[in-house]
C-alpha cells in the first residue's frame, strides 16, 4: 500500500472524527470511509433478523450470509454506499437500537476480521481518509498520518444531541451520556483492537476547537508528512 496517501482518524463517539475526516477528504480530493457504519450494518442485520446480540456464533453466521458491502461513493454521507446483502442501507444505521448494541457486535474477532479485510481492500486501491477506532493501530498501521481525536464527554454529548435534534430526534441527555460512556468503556476494554491511540498518532483534543480548526491542524500534519 506504500505510495498511496492513507490518513487514519480514530477516536471515541462524538469526538468529531467523522465530520473532520469527511471535510479533510473533500479538501484533499480523496476518498473518505466511515468504518463505524460497517459495524452498524452488522448490528442492524441482527436486529432485523432477530438474532440475539450475545450469540456470537449466530452473529458471525449472519455476517457471512448477509455480507456488508461497501461501494466507495464520495456523494454518500459515510463516503461509501453501504449494503446488507443486495439491499442498500442508510439512515437506519443510526437508529438508537443500533447504537445500543453495536459495541457488542464490534467486539467479536471474526466480525472484525471480515470488516478489516474489506477496509484494507479499499485502501489498497485508493488514497483514503479512514475514520474508526482501530485504523491507526490495526487496519492501516503504515498510514502516512494518524490522528487520535478526543473531546470531553460533555462536549461529545452536546454534539450528538445537536446532530439528533437536526434529524428531528430528541433523546434524553442523561440517557445519551450513559450510553456513550458505556460504549466508550466497551470499545476501550475489548480484548481485540481496543480503542487506543497508535504510538505514533497525533492526539488532538477538540473540546474547545471548531471543526475548521481541527481540520486545519490535521491538514497541517498531512502537509508536514508529505514534506517528509
Ligand atoms: O463511530 P460509530 O459510533 O459509528 O461506531 C459504531 C461502533 O463500531 C462503535 O461502538 C465502535 C465500533 N467501531 C469499531 O470497533 N471499529 C471501528 N473501526 C469503527 C467502529
Amino acid at each position: 500500500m506504500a505510495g498511496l496517501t492513507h490518513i487514519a482518524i480514530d477516536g471515541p463517539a462524538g469526538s468529531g472524527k467523522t465530520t473532520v475526516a469527511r471535510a479533510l477528504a473533500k479538501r484533499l480530493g480523496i476518498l473518505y470511509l466511515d468504518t463505524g457504519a460497517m459495524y452498524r450494518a452488522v448490528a442492524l442485520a441482527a436486529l432485523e433478523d432477530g438474532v440475539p446480540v450475545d450469540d456470537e456464533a449466530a452473529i458471525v453466521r449472519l455476517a457471512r450470509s448477509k455480507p456488508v458491502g461497501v461501494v466507495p461513493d464520495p456523494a454518500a454521507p459515510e463516503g461509501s454506499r453501504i449494503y446488507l446483502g443486495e439491499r442498500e442501507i442508510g439512515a437506519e444505521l443510526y437508529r438508537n437500537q443500533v447504537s445500543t448494541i453495536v459495541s457488542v457486535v464490534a467486539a467479536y474477532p471474526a466480525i472484525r476480521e471480515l470488516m478489516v479485510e474489506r477496509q484494507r481492500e479499499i485502501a489498497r486501491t485508493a488514497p483514503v481518509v479512514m475514520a474508526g477506532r482501530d485504523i491507526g493501530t490495526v487496519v492501516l498501521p503504515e498510514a502516512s498520518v494518524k490522528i487520535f481525536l478526543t473531546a470531553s464527554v460533555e462536549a461529545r454529548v452536546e454534539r450528538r444531541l445537536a446532530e439528533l435534534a437536526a434529524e428531528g430526534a430528541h433523546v434524553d441527555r442523561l440517557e445519551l451520556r450513559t450510553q456513550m460512556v458505556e460504549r466508550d468503556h466497551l470499545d476501550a476494554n475489548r480484548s481485540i483492537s481496543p480503542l487506543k491511540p497508535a504510538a505514533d498518532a497525533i492526539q488532538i483534543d477538540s473540546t474547545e476547537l471548531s471543526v475548521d480548526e481541527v481540520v486545519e491542524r490535521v491538514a497541517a500534519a498531512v502537509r508536514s508528512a508529505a514534506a517528509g
Side-chain angles (χ1 to χ4, degrees), residues 2 15 28 39 42 47 49 73 131 188 201:
S15 59
L28 299 174
Y39 293 95
V42 179
L47 282 176
D49 288 18
D73 176 0

Side-chain angles (χ1 to χ4, degrees), residues 167-185:
E167 293 160 12
H170 295 279
V171 180
D172 180 67
R173 175 178 274 105
L174 190 59
E175 197 180 308
L176 184 68
R177 189 182 198 285
T178 308
Q179 193 190 84
M180 208 177 247
V181 170
E182 208 169 287
R183 195 136 68 91
D184 286 353
H185 183 79

Side-chain angles (χ1 to χ4, degrees), residues 156-175:
R156 297 193 286 121
V157 168
E158 290 314 315
R159 287 173 191 169
R160 188 69 191 122
L161 279 173
E163 265 172 29
L164 288 165
E167 293 160 12
H170 295 279
V171 180
D172 180 67
R173 175 178 274 105
L174 190 59
E175 197 180 308

